[in-house]
Amino acid sequence: MGFFELSSYSSKSSVTALKWLGFVAAIWVQAISGNNYTFSNYSDALKSLMNLTQLELNNLSVAKDVGKAFGLLAGFASDKLPTWVILLIGSVEGLVGYGAQWLVVSETIKPLSYWQMCIFLCMGGNSTTWMNTAVLVTCIRNFRRNRGPVSGILKGYVGLSTAIFTDVCAALFSDDASSFLVMLAVVPFAVCLVAAVFLRESPPASTSSEEKEETQFFWVFNAVAVFVAVYLLAYDFIPSPSAVFSEAFSAILMVLLASPLGVPVYIYFKNRSRPGSDVEGQVGENTEPLLVTAAAAAEGEDTAEEVAVVEVKRGQPLIGEEHTIVEVLKTIDFWVLFVSFLCGVGTGLAVQNNMGQIGLALGYSDVSIFVSLISIWGFFGRIVSGTVSEYFIKNIINGVGQHLLGCPFQFYRNRKAGTPRPLWNAAAQILMVFGFVILALALPGSLYIGSILVGICYGIRIAISVPTASELFGLKYYGLIYNILILNLPLGSFLFSGLLAGILYDMEATPTAGGGNTCVGAHCYRTTFVVMAVACIIGFGLDILLSIRTKAVYTKIYTSKKSKKSSAPSNGRRQILN
C-alpha cells in the first residue's frame, strides 16, 4: 500500500492488534492537532515584535482560521491518496507554517511582512485539516459499526490538545512563546510520521462478538481520556508549581498519553494465547472478503431503496432524505443550521483568539490557564453532549427527561422519544449568553467562569452540529456538506474576532511608542461581550426553530432505531443458519 506499509501478518491476532495500534496512533494525532486554537499563547509576542494594532493582530488570527476553508482539498484528496500521504502533507505544511512563525518570534530572522505572516498562519491552520481528515476517514472505516464512539473519542482529544500543548509549555519552558512555537512545529510532524507507519485501513468487525469487544475497548479509551482531562485540569489550579513538580507532571502526562497502547498489546497476547489462534486467523482472513462483499451488497441495497424513495418524491427532497449539494443550499433548514452554528462557534473562536489580550486587559499576566480551561471544558462538552443527545433520541423524555430539558422546551412535553439534536444547541447558546454576561461584568473570578462556560458551549456546538447535518441531509454528500458547514470557522473568526473585537478594542486602546496600542480595564471588551451575547440569543431562537421543524425527522430516526433493534436477534439467527 505504499512506502510505509509494514510486512503482512499471517495471524488474526496480529491484524486485530495492528488495527487498534492504528487507532492509538490516531488518538496521538488528534491530541496534537488542536494547535490552531493556541494562538493566544504567542499572539502578544507577535503583536509587540511586529508593532501591530489589535485589529491587525486579530486579522492574523483570522488568517489561520481561513486555512480551514481549504479543508475541501483534504476531503477530495482522501478519496485518491493513501492515509500516510495525507498525514505527511499535513505534517510538512504545519512544520513550515509554524516553523516560520518561530523564526520571527525567536528573532532568528527579521519580522516578515504582514502578508507573508498571513500566509504562514494560513498554512498552519490548514495543516490540521489534512491530519483530521486522514484520521477520521480511516478510523471510521476500520470501526464502521462503532462510528459514534470513534468520533467522540477522537474529537475529544482535539479538544484536549490545546491544554496539552499549553500545560507542557508552561511546565517545561515557563510559557516562553518561542519554545511554544517549536513544539507546535516539531511535535505534530514527529507524531504524524509515527501514525503514517501504523494507521491504515483494516477489515472491520465481522461478528457480533467482535463488535461487543470493540465497544468494551472504547469504554476503556473514554475512561483514559476523562482521566487525562481531569489531570490537566488539576494542574491548572496548582499555584506556582516548582520546576521538579512541573517536570514530573509532564512525565506522567506522557505516560497517560501512551497508556492506550495497553489495548493493542492486550489483544495481541490474548489472541495468541488461545489454542488454535492461527487457524482461527486464517479462517477469518479467508472469510472476510465474503463478509465484506455481503455487507457492501446490503449497503448497496439500502442505498438503492433510499434513492428510489427520493426519486418518487416530486421536486425538492424532504428533510431527512438524501440531498445533493444544490438541494441542500436551497433548503431553509440548512441556512438556519448554518447561521445558528455561526453564532455559536464564531463567538467562541473570538474569545479563544483574543484570550491573550482579554487576560491582559483584566490584569492577568499569564493567560495559559484560561486557554487550558476552554480546551478541557470543551472536551467535556463534546464527550457528554454526544452521548446525552443520542440517549434522548432513543428514549422517552417524560419525567426525568422533561426536568432535564427545563422550561424553554416545554413544548416537547409528553413526547415519548426522538428529541431533536438542535435542542441541545439551543441549551448551549443560552448557557453561552450567561458566559458573555459574566465576562462583561468583569467581576473577580469572572474570567475563570466565563472560560469554562464558553469552552463547554463551544464543545457542544461542535459535537452536536456535525451529526445533525448528516441526519437532516443524508450521508451521500456528507463530506462536502460538512466542509461547507465548517466554513463558519473562518467566517465567524473574521466577523467576531477580526472585525468586532478588533475594531472595538482599538476604539478603547491607547497608542504605544513605536506603533501598536494597548488597553487595560474591563471596558476594553465589555461592548464586544454584549454584542456576542445578543448573537447567541439569535442563535438560540434559530435552534428552537430548527428543533420544531425537525421533530418529524427525529421521530422517524427513533422509530427506525427501535425497529432495527427489535429485529436484530432474528437477523442474527438467519445469518447463522445461512
Side-chain angles (χ1 to χ4, degrees), residues 245-268:
F245 185 89
S246 298
E247 291 172 359
F249 159 79
S250 300
I252 295 173
L253 179 60
M254 294 302 105
V255 172
L256 290 175
L257 292 175
S259 62
L261 281 173
V263 170
V265 171
Y266 169 78
I267 291 173
Y268 179 77

Side-chain angles (χ1 to χ4, degrees), residues 308-447:
V309 170
V310 173
E311 288 177 349
V312 170
K313 307 291 180 183
R314 60 182 185 276
Q316 183 81 5
L318 298 176
I319 193 74
E321 298 175 341
E322 292 289 347
H323 286 63
T324 65
I325 298 300
V326 174
E327 290 168 342
V328 167
L329 297 179
K330 289 180 179 179
T331 63
I332 296 176
D333 301 281
F334 175 78
W335 292 110
V336 171
L337 176 63
F338 186 90
V339 176
S340 72
F341 190 57
L342 174 66
C343 293
V345 299
T347 53
L349 271 177
V351 174
Q352 295 178 59
N353 290 340
N354 290 271
M355 184 55 73
Q357 285 65 49
I358 293 172
L360 292 175
L362 295 180
Y364 296 94
S365 58
D366 181 10
V367 300
S368 60
I369 184 173
F370 304 114
V371 177
S372 294
L373 284 175
I374 290 178
S375 174
I376 293 169
W377 286 99
F379 159 80
F380 286 119
R382 297 178 194 213
I383 290 290
V384 174
S385 63
T387 302
V388 171
S389 64
E390 191 71 26
Y391 174 84
F392 279 95
I393 289 177
K394 298 177 182 178
N395 298 276
I396 62 172
I397 72 168
N398 285 327
V400 64
Q402 181 177 315
H403 293 301
L404 285 173
L405 291 176
C407 295
F409 312 114
Q410 289 301 308
F411 58 87
Y412 281 99
R413 182 184 299 176
N414 299 326
R415 287 187 59 80
K416 292 188 176 181
T419 306
R421 283 194 207 270
L423 209 58
W424 301 99
N425 277 338
Q429 293 280 199
I430 285 296
L431 194 60
M432 191 174 271
V433 170
F434 286 111
F436 287 132
V437 170
I438 291 171
L439 288 170
L441 293 174
L443 299 174
S446 63
L447 194 53

Side-chain angles (χ1 to χ4, degrees), residues 119-290:
I119 291 176
F120 286 117
L121 279 157
C122 183
M123 290 180 65
N126 182 250
S127 66
T128 58
T129 65
W130 293 85
M131 300 176 194
N132 293 338
T133 298
V135 163
L136 287 171
V137 169
T138 303
C139 288
I140 287 177
R141 287 174 180 172
N142 290 352
F143 303 96
R144 62 188 64 188
R145 299 182 186 274
N146 283 283
R147 300 179 191 184
V150 167
S151 178
I153 293 169
L154 295 180
K155 286 295 184 183
Y157 272 98
V158 173
L160 288 180
S161 61
T162 303
I164 292 172
F165 274 122
T166 302
D167 287 353
V168 170
C169 182
L172 299 181
F173 308 114
S174 300
D175 292 317
D176 178 64
S178 175
S179 301
F180 188 78
L181 280 166
V182 170
M183 291 176 57
L184 296 185
V186 175
V187 173
F189 179 77
V191 171
C192 285
L193 287 182
V194 174
V197 177
F198 297 106
L199 183 59
R200 73 191 65 183
E201 289 192 29
S202 302
S206 56
T207 65
S208 59
S209 62
E210 289 177 348
E211 291 178 40
K212 184 178 180 181
E213 185 180 53
E214 281 186 3
T215 302
Q216 293 171 345
F217 287 132
F218 283 130
W219 277 109
V220 173
F221 286 114
N222 269 320
V224 172
V226 171
F227 191 84
V228 171
V230 174
Y231 180 72
L232 291 167
L233 187 62
Y235 178 78
D236 287 334
F237 286 97
I238 296 176
S240 303
S242 64
V244 175
F245 185 89
S246 298
E247 291 172 359
F249 159 79
S250 300
I252 295 173
L253 179 60
M254 294 302 105
V255 172
L256 290 175
L257 292 175
S259 62
L261 281 173
V263 170
V265 171
Y266 169 78
I267 291 173
Y268 179 77
F269 285 106
K270 183 191 72 170
N271 290 340
R272 285 184 65 88
S273 64
R274 291 177 180 174
S277 61
D278 287 343
V279 175
E280 291 174 0
Q282 293 170 4
V283 172
E285 289 173 355
N286 291 334
T287 57
E288 272 168 359
L290 297 177

